[in-house]
Amino acid sequence: MAVQEKNFWLTTVDILRTDLARPLPETLDVAVIGAGFTGLSAARTLAHGGANVAVLEAETIGWGASSRNGGMVLTGLKLGVNKLISLYGRERTQRMYAASLATIDCVEQIVNEERIDCDFSRCGHLEVACKQKHFDDYARQVETIARQFNHELRIVPRQELQSEIGSSIYYGGMVDEVSAGLNPARYVAGLALAAMKAGATILEGTPALKIEREARRGNQGWRIITSRGEVWARDVFVGTSGYTGAATPALRKKIIPIGSYIITTEVLPDTVAHELSPRNRMIYDSKNYLYYYRLTPDDRMLFGGRAAFFPETENSIRQSAEILRSGMIDVYPQLRDVKVEFIWGGTLDFAFDIMPHAGQMDGIYYAVGYAGHGVAMATWQGQQMAKMIAGEKPENPFVGIPFPGAPLGLYNGKPWFLPFAGAWYKFLDWVS
Ligand SMILES: Cc1cc2nc3c(=O)[nH]c(=O)nc-3n(C[C@H](O)[C@H](O)[C@H](O)COP(=O)(O)OP(=O)(O)OC[C@H]3O[C@@H](n4cnc5c(N)ncnc54)[C@H](O)[C@@H]3O)c2cc1C
């Protein structure tokens, strides 16, 4: 089979298609923008609570990062715990860390309750150290996480690493058994069905173009202008992640869209698959410009990274495939003669402080900023924000933290600085 510029996960599922001619509802309790994990999880919870809710999706269900990712359901946050404590203090960091563990339970619970057939498995994750000093830092992290958050991670010294990974290039590893893996396209498809079963409407091919305040019959609310007409909603919740656009200009200025790319090999013989990843972990390395990789449920090697920083285009996908293939062979020389069958890309959402953020901006609810750590966090944020919109006071330590914009305000949503940021991260990996 020749290499295809195509998302492997999408070959494993037929995602339901909705009727594109379906008229828009006139009024809603809540309009959710974006049919990824964030929006669909929110819609499911809101609909269960009895709200009249519709999800407006510019493209198709799961079209964004939610069907394109590595399917790693990860504990922790992008920033290290010591950094988090220095920024937010002990108490809030403890709540953030607890939330990051709750996100995995949240996904597992939804998968079980809705019987989503998505190969969810608590296989754990393995972080591998690219330098001795990265490995030395693992011991400090494990100690802090055990002491502050009562959560056990396991250090794997270099001489024992073969029991975790069939590569000899790393200086050691750190395992978290709580993390999980799943097939993201099947998961997002199942989440959409669950939201619909609960009573939510999903409107594909319906981009929100403009969102304006408008009171109706004495109720404060929003007029949402779409390519297919208008709809009025009491509340709006935005879950557009790396695809956040002109409809929410204030949010767009806070989010940097960054491309991430994945290659997937042909199906590997059992023995090879077992040698590469004996415990079937979700694996990523310790660099800023990192690689992440795992076996798929049918034993392909799925290997991803931020090979080019720009959001995906045909060119960036092709160039990234070459870079990723050579990265994969550096990690696993055993794969030198193995065929790559699929390549694709998607867009991540980074806030300037690399933190998740949720709350209300100019009256519109949102949850964004997952920084490549969004399968579990997006699902959880959708659920928690839905509860908040419904008037509850759910735990959410990411609401109310400062949400910085670009330094000196030098950003209008078009990431002109990405080549510099890419070079900067490469430099940091070289020196740190
Ligand atoms: C290649 C890649 C690999 C990744 N790997 C992992 C991983 O292994 N583990 C992990 O935890 N995270 C990973 N991530 C991140 C994770 O996929 C995302 O954080 C998560 O899917 C975000 O979900 P979301 O619902 O917020 O956004 P998305 O799934 O991106 O959905 C946003 C949706 O909003 C729609 N939209 C945008 N604007 C509008 C509008 N105006 N009107 C209507 N609709 C609109 C878009 O069409 C899109 O469908 C990866 C991401 C990528 C790209």
Side-chain angles (χ1 to χ4, degrees):
M1 187 174 162
V3 58
Q4 298 185 54
E5 277 178 39
K6 188 172 176 186
N7 176 346
F8 160 71
W9 298 120
L10 291 179
T11 66
T12 66
V13 61
D14 282 323
I15 301 183
L16 169 105
R17 293 282 82 102
T18 56
D19 176 6
L20 295 178
R22 182 180 178 150
L24 299 188
E26 251 175 54
T27 61
L28 293 165
D29 293 327
V30 187
V32 172
I33 317 289
F37 300 142
T38 305
L40 294 170
S41 167
R44 172 180 172 272
T45 303
L46 283 160
H48 272 304
N52 174 16
V53 51
V55 183
L56 277 50
E57 166 55 52
E59 305 283 341
T60 50
I61 289 168
W63 177 89
S66 294
S67 66
R68 303 167 189 240
N69 60 73
M72 302 188 176
V73 188
L74 302 172
T75 58
L77 296 165
K78 196 73 190 162
L79 293 182
V81 286
N82 291 317
K83 175 87 182 162
L84 289 170
I85 292 171
S86 74
L87 287 171
Y88 301 107
R90 190 153 292 135
E91 191 269 337
R92 192 179 284 258
T93 304
Q94 278 169 341
R95 288 172 51 213
M96 287 176 174
Y97 202 85
S100 98
L101 300 178
T103 64
I104 318 288
D105 295 339
C106 171
V107 173
E108 184 169 40
Q109 195 184 354
I110 292 176
V111 166
N112 289 339
E113 271 176 26
E114 305 292 350
R115 298 175 193 274
I116 302 177
D117 179 12
C118 63
D119 299 302
F120 179 90
S121 137
R122 289 264 190 176
C123 49
H125 83 244
L126 167 72
E127 180 176 336
V128 279
C130 298
K131 293 187 178 176
Q132 182 60 43
K133 61 179 161 183
H134 296 175
F135 181 67
D136 296 342
D137 189 52
Y138 288 170
R140 283 189 282 278
Q141 286 188 50
V142 167
E143 195 272 321
T144 308
I145 289 168
R147 186 164 38 86
Q148 303 282 1
F149 314 130
N150 198 21
H151 181 63
E152 296 295 327
L153 302 180
R154 187 165 55 79
I155 296 276
V156 188
R158 188 172 197 166
Q159 59 279 16
E160 291 169 25
L161 205 53
Q162 289 294 321
S163 65
E164 289 285 343
I165 180 172
S167 171
S168 53
I169 67 168
Y170 298 111
Y171 290 78
M174 182 166 63
V175 168
D176 190 335
E177 301 281 356
V178 172
S179 292
L182 52 64
N183 173 330
R186 285 183 173 216
Y187 176 51
V188 77
L191 208 48
L193 281 177
M196 289 168 80
K197 206 171 71 191
T201 304
I202 302 179
L203 300 158
E204 295 179 298
T206 310
L209 304 174
K210 206 163 187 197
I211 305 172
E212 297 172 342
R213 274 185 200 277
E214 189 185 280
R216 277 207 191 159
R217 292 186 207 98
N219 294 317
Q220 295 302 317
W222 304 89
R223 184 160 71 111
I224 302 137
I225 301 160
T226 83
S227 62
R228 302 207 297 118
E230 294 180 14
V231 55
W232 184 90
R234 196 194 62 224
D235 286 305
V236 176
F237 174 60
V238 179
T240 48
S241 186
Y243 300 90
T244 301
T248 49
L251 195 59
R252 185 191 197 183
K253 281 192 196 167
K254 304 261 187 177
I255 291 297
I256 316 166
I258 290 185
S260 188
Y261 301 84
I262 292 181
I263 56 174
T264 300
T265 67
E266 62 188 316
V267 175
L268 304 170
D270 284 356
T271 47
V272 177
H274 185 74
E275 180 197 331
L276 301 181
S277 183
R279 298 183 192 212
N280 210 2
R281 302 281 194 211
M282 303 290 115
I283 308 175
Y284 56 89
D285 72 34
S286 60
K287 295 194 300 298
N288 289 302
Y289 223 89
L290 56 79
Y291 292 134
Y292 51 90
Y293 45 98
R294 59 170 288 184
L295 294 171
T296 59
D298 64 347
D299 278 351
R300 300 162 187 273
M301 174 51 62
L302 177 151
F303 196 91
R306 232 155 284 147
F309 252 67
F310 277 112
E312 71 280 6
T313 62
E314 258 178 47
N315 259 347
S316 65
I317 291 175
R318 233 168 286 135
Q319 286 165 5
S320 298
E322 285 308 309
I323 297 170
L324 289 176
R325 186 185 165 81
S326 108
M328 179 177 77
I329 292 167
D330 288 344
V331 176
Y332 291 124
Q334 308 89 311
L335 294 181
R336 184 171 300 282
D337 297 321
V338 163
K339 282 199 209 78
V340 169
E341 288 190 344
F342 297 92
I343 60 178
W344 71 94
T347 304
L348 305 171
D349 56 334
F350 274 71
F352 283 86
D353 58 359
I354 322 188
M355 286 295 290
H357 292 275
Q360 261 181 303
M361 193 179 286
D362 302 335
I364 293 177
Y365 291 95
Y366 66 89
V368 289
Y370 307 118
H373 231 80
V375 175
M377 185 57 83
T379 307
W380 185 83
Q381 281 294 3
Q383 189 176 85
Q384 300 305 92
M385 290 306 294
K387 290 179 187 166
M388 188 184 206
I389 294 166
E392 296 174 36
K393 288 198 168 66
E395 165 66 356
N396 197 336
F398 306 99
V399 171
I401 59 171
F403 192 171
L408 307 174
L410 291 172
Y411 179 50
N412 61 2
K414 294 207 173 69
W416 52 268
F417 46 79
L418 281 189
F420 309 108
W424 174 242
Y425 277 121
K426 279 190 176 152
F427 174 73
L428 285 181
D429 282 331
W430 185 54
V431 296
S432 61

